[in-house]
Amino acid sequence: MVSEHSEPATDDTSAMALKILVAGGFGVGKTTLVGAVSEIRPLRTEEMLSEAGQLVDDTDGVDQKVTTTVAMDFGRITIRAGLSLYLFGTPGQDRFWFLWDELSQGALGAVVLADTRRLEDCFPAVDYFEHRHIPFVVAVNCFTGARTYGALDVCRALDLDQGTPVVLCDARDRDSGKEVLIRLVEYAGRMHTARLLDSVG
């Protein structure tokens, strides 16, 4: 079993590293998820929210938030021996969207975090990955006090393509976040295999 702080083998030629994006609306828990699951000290590019930023950032529902990601978060987790995931958390505000195209280059797939109190905030991320045919799962971050909805309800509300996984999670919990990532890797693997078979069929 791989321990929480174990290092991936450097002499194993079969070792694989996959790039995963963690996306979603402002204040949905992207930085929290990356920090919770990362086995290395996560890289964060956070700045304090300013009065000027309040004019362009919608902070309804996340009034207690005092910082924001301005470039990306970065972390790493070893799923099993020989398989590591490099996690890139995207900035949530519209004004930083120019970074998304660079961050998405070479990504296996993405986790779209959703908050049922502000479900509409994850529509742009869902649209982005659907239009670029990047496999993704929707992970509903279960905030304290928020109404709980089933996966099917969320799937319908977001009008997701058939088969897109929706999972419930706690972005603060390492095991919960790891399960989301495993679900994404499995789903993305099936999607890429199906596309490969279609291309040679």
Side-chain angles (χ1 to χ4, degrees), residues 175-196:
D175 289 338
S176 180
K178 186 174 179 180
E179 284 301 315
V180 170
L181 295 171
I182 291 172
R183 185 77 176 272
L184 170 62
V185 170
E186 292 174 345
Y187 174 65
R190 292 195 301 270
M191 292 292 290
H192 285 294
T193 299
R195 289 172 187 169
L196 180 62

Side-chain angles (χ1 to χ4, degrees), residues 107-111 129 133-137 184 187-189 191-192 195:
L108 173 78
V111 173
F129 297 122
H133 305 290
I134 297 174
F136 68 93
V137 301
L184 170 62
Y187 174 65
M191 292 292 290
H192 285 294
R195 289 172 187 169

Side-chain angles (χ1 to χ4, degrees), residues 150-164 166:
L152 185 58
D153 293 327
V154 174
C155 184
R156 288 172 176 166
L158 294 176
D159 193 25
L160 297 175
D161 290 342
Q162 186 175 4
T164 303
V166 176

Side-chain angles (χ1 to χ4, degrees), residues 98-163:
F98 65 93
L99 294 169
W100 280 50
D101 286 339
E102 289 293 329
L103 290 175
S104 65
Q105 291 293 320
L108 173 78
V111 173
V112 176
L113 272 175
D115 177 354
T116 57
R117 301 169 302 178
R118 310 172 83 209
L119 198 57
E120 68 280 0
D121 286 2
C122 69
F123 274 120
V126 168
D127 289 343
Y128 183 91
F129 297 122
E130 282 185 345
H131 286 123
R132 287 160 180 78
H133 305 290
I134 297 174
F136 68 93
V137 301
V138 173
V140 180
N141 193 6
C142 298
F143 286 89
T144 303
R147 181 177 172 183
T148 301
Y149 293 87
L152 185 58
D153 293 327
V154 174
C155 184
R156 288 172 176 166
L158 294 176
D159 193 25
L160 297 175
D161 290 342
Q162 186 175 4

Side-chain angles (χ1 to χ4, degrees), residues 3 12 18 36 49 74-75 80 107 134 140 151 166 196:
S3 69
D12 184 357
L18 303 174
L49 288 172
F74 175 76
R80 57 173 170 76
I134 297 174
V140 180
V166 176
L196 180 62

